[in-house]
Amino acid sequence: EPEVTQTPSHQVTQMGQEVILRCVPISNHLYFYWYRQILGQKVEFLVSFYNNEISEKSEIFDDQFSVERPDGSNFTLKIRSTKLEDSAMYFCASSEAGTNEQFFGPGTRLTVL
Amino acid sequence: GENVEQHPSTLSVQEGDSAVIKCTYSDSASNYFPWYKQELGKGPQLIIDIRSNVGEKKDQRIAVTLNKTAKHFSLHITETQPEDSAVYFCAASDGASYDKVIFGPGTSLSVIP
């Protein structure tokens, strides 16, 4: 069964450093998403992406965040200057055109020291 | 924007009993209501969803009900099994947004053998 994959599974970085989290969505999906989940809390929407542009973003997704689809398979989330409060699980998801059904990857645990 | 509440936060049931999780939402324009199951160390997995033109939907041991007037929806799991133990999240589309989904805070379900 096709699935969303994410790398790395765990990323440790120093405060102020840039990180790039990578995702490979399901191949025939056209909508891509990033969510984050701070330990023990709810899953929070960050951004959705369609047709090579952001379609929706939350107030969390400020100028420190950016997304990109650099090629036909990868979808990335970049945090330019990480803060301690960016420590969380980051989930990528994707969905087909014409449906809201989002399929999530296993997540990347980001730890900012 | 949309706000989703969920109760209870924790739920323990004996194997074979039923479990019910209830959610409320705030935006009457919301039209899509998915439920996700999250096992330890994994991403959320879509288990069932319901759209605002349907009052009830069933898939084997899982059923969802939706009351648009009262703005609440529920997940019912019958004949619970130990492998049903997980955190369950309800979610609602952010108004009529096609791709932004707001999660509830989650319910930790434990099924006792």
Side-chain angles (χ1 to χ4, degrees):
Chain A
E1 186 176 328
E3 57 184 20
V4 176
T5 59
Q6 290 184 244
T7 53
S9 57
H10 191 189
Q11 174 87 48
V12 181
T13 190
Q14 295 291 326
M15 190 170 59
Q17 295 295 304
E18 175 183 287
V19 294
I20 297 176
L21 309 183
R22 291 182 167 80
C23 169
V24 179
I26 294 173
S27 62
N28 63 331
H29 286 187
L30 299 178
Y31 290 82
F32 314 114
Y33 314 85
W34 283 101
Y35 291 82
R36 79 171 185 191
Q37 185 179 32
I38 295 170
L39 188 64
Q41 297 187 23
K42 68 168 76 174
V43 177
E44 298 174 291
F45 172 86
L46 292 179
V47 66
S48 59
F49 190 86
Y50 171 70
N51 201 26
N52 282 321
E53 61 183 28
I54 290 172
S55 50
E56 295 252 18
K57 61 181 181 179
S58 72
E59 56 274 9
I60 301 169
F61 194 88
D62 61 22
D63 292 344
Q64 291 299 311
F65 292 88
S66 62
V67 290
E68 192 179 29
R69 187 154 165 83
D71 53 43
S73 60
N74 290 283
F75 179 52
T76 62
L77 174 70
K78 182 193 289 186
I79 309 175
R80 287 190 184 82
S81 178
T82 50
K83 307 183 189 72
L84 295 176
E85 53 265 36
D86 293 327
S87 294
M89 282 290 286
Y90 287 81
F91 294 106
C92 173
S94 67
S95 65
E96 288 183 77
T99 173
N100 307 78
E101 297 175 8
Q102 298 181 22
F103 293 85
F104 282 71
T108 293
R109 179 170 298 283
L110 176 65
T111 301
V112 182
L113 302 176
Chain B
E2 176 68 277
N3 183 49
V4 180
E5 300 292 336
Q6 184 171 349
H7 300 278
S9 56
T10 59
L11 179 60
S12 288
V13 299
Q14 290 291 132
E15 183 178 357
D17 287 350
S18 294
V20 180
I21 302 170
K22 298 183 178 182
C23 289
T24 60
Y25 62 99
S26 60
D27 191 339
S28 56
S30 295
N31 58 10
Y32 177 64
F33 307 92
W35 286 88
Y36 289 89
K37 175 183 181 181
Q38 187 178 29
E39 295 173 321
L40 200 60
K42 296 185 178 180
Q45 177 191 7
L46 179 68
I47 56 171
I48 196 167
D49 57 15
I50 192 167
R51 299 182 190 277
S52 62
N53 58 342
V54 176
E56 185 173 354
K57 183 176 177 180
K58 192 172 181 182
D59 182 4
Q60 299 182 344
R61 296 186 296 109
I62 295 173
V64 291
T65 58
L66 171 65
N67 183 328
K68 275 202 73 182
T69 303
K71 294 203 285 265
H72 64 69
F73 56 116
S74 301
L75 177 72
H76 303 250
I77 306 173
T78 58
E79 299 170 28
T80 52
Q81 301 164 4
E83 51 265 37
D84 294 329
S85 297
V87 178
Y88 290 81
F89 292 97
C90 63
S93 59
D94 186 28
S97 169
Y98 192 78
D99 53 4
K100 185 176 178 182
V101 168
I102 305 300
F103 279 68
T107 295
S108 178
L109 173 65
S110 298
V111 180
I112 303 161

